[in-house]
Amino acid sequence: MAATLSHASYSANFASSLSKTTVSRPSRFSPSFKVYTFLRWTVKPLNSTFTPHAQRAITTITHATSTPSSIPSDTSTKTFHGLCYVVGDNIDTDQIIPAEYLTLVPSNPAEYEKLGSYALIGLPSSYATRFIEPNETKTKYSIVIGGANFGCGSSREHAPVALGAAGAKAVVAESYARIFFRNSVATGEVYPLESEVRICEECRTGDVVTIELGESRLINHTTGKEYKLKPIGDAGPVIEAGGIFAYARKTGMIPSQSK
């Protein structure tokens, strides 16, 4: 999942008909046997109450008693404020969370916190300021600002989870590796926001910044500059809900977990 989440998927009805074909028997078998064969299938798009981007529509099937409109999906008032941590281009998943820590299980609260303590530990020594200070488990930088191709490398979903577990709320980058963007939305750990310019060259680690999702902008209070961000779009409500499964439960796409 680029500026907005890649939402092009379709629901379809698959209709097939069976024909019974009688096959003459070889002399040593029973009189006859029937073979069922699929003759054809058709694809028929379904309608839905979900209203996505005009160019990247998702058609979903929801339970009759619940629709996506039944939960708040407005992120227009959501803001993030805090210190930013600035990195460069091509920050890969090995730098975000090295493979040796992938044995930690995020569903275990203690291991989730430990995973966060290793976020961005793979950055080279040229980064004099570390994302997480020694003997700490949380970062003081709630916003990560990166360059192009942020999150490239392997498909490990531990990468956005580690950032979220460390205390980061959003990443603002010039561009993303698609798999990192998708994992960020699917896990609901961080907002992957795209900038229209190379903010990473104009901000410094430790600058005080605010992100206003509704206005799609980043304000650097240290320098006094403002930057336009690309809208998060339909990915916003999914992240706000806590990830794709939490969103699906709230919208009735899948049954809620039994209490």
Side-chain angles (χ1 to χ4, degrees), residues 222-235:
T222 302
T223 64
K225 293 183 177 181
E226 295 186 9
Y227 304 92
K228 187 68 176 176
L229 305 177
K230 297 178 182 178
I232 188 65
D234 295 326

Side-chain angles (χ1 to χ4, degrees), residues 81-92:
H81 179 80
L83 302 178
C84 69
Y85 188 84
V86 182
V87 295
D89 297 328
N90 301 311
I91 300 300
D92 61 36

Side-chain angles (χ1 to χ4, degrees), residues 1-4 87-91 145-152 171-178 180-181 192-200 230:
M1 306 164 161
T4 57
V87 295
D89 297 328
N90 301 311
I91 300 300
I145 296 178
N149 202 27
F150 188 92
C152 57
V171 178
V172 178
E174 184 182 3
S175 64
Y176 291 91
R178 179 175 300 224
F180 178 88
F181 188 98
L193 304 169
E194 270 195 298
S195 57
E196 294 189 348
V197 297
R198 285 181 62 80
I199 299 179
C200 63
K230 297 178 182 178

Side-chain angles (χ1 to χ4, degrees), residues 26 69 81 215:
S69 60
H81 179 80
E215 299 296 327

Side-chain angles (χ1 to χ4, degrees), residues 34 39 60 75 101 109 119 126 134 168 173 175 178 188 199 229 241 243 259:
K34 295 176 181 178
L39 293 181
T60 57
T75 58
Y101 303 114
S126 57
S175 64
R178 179 175 300 224
I199 299 179
L229 305 177
K259 297 182 180 179

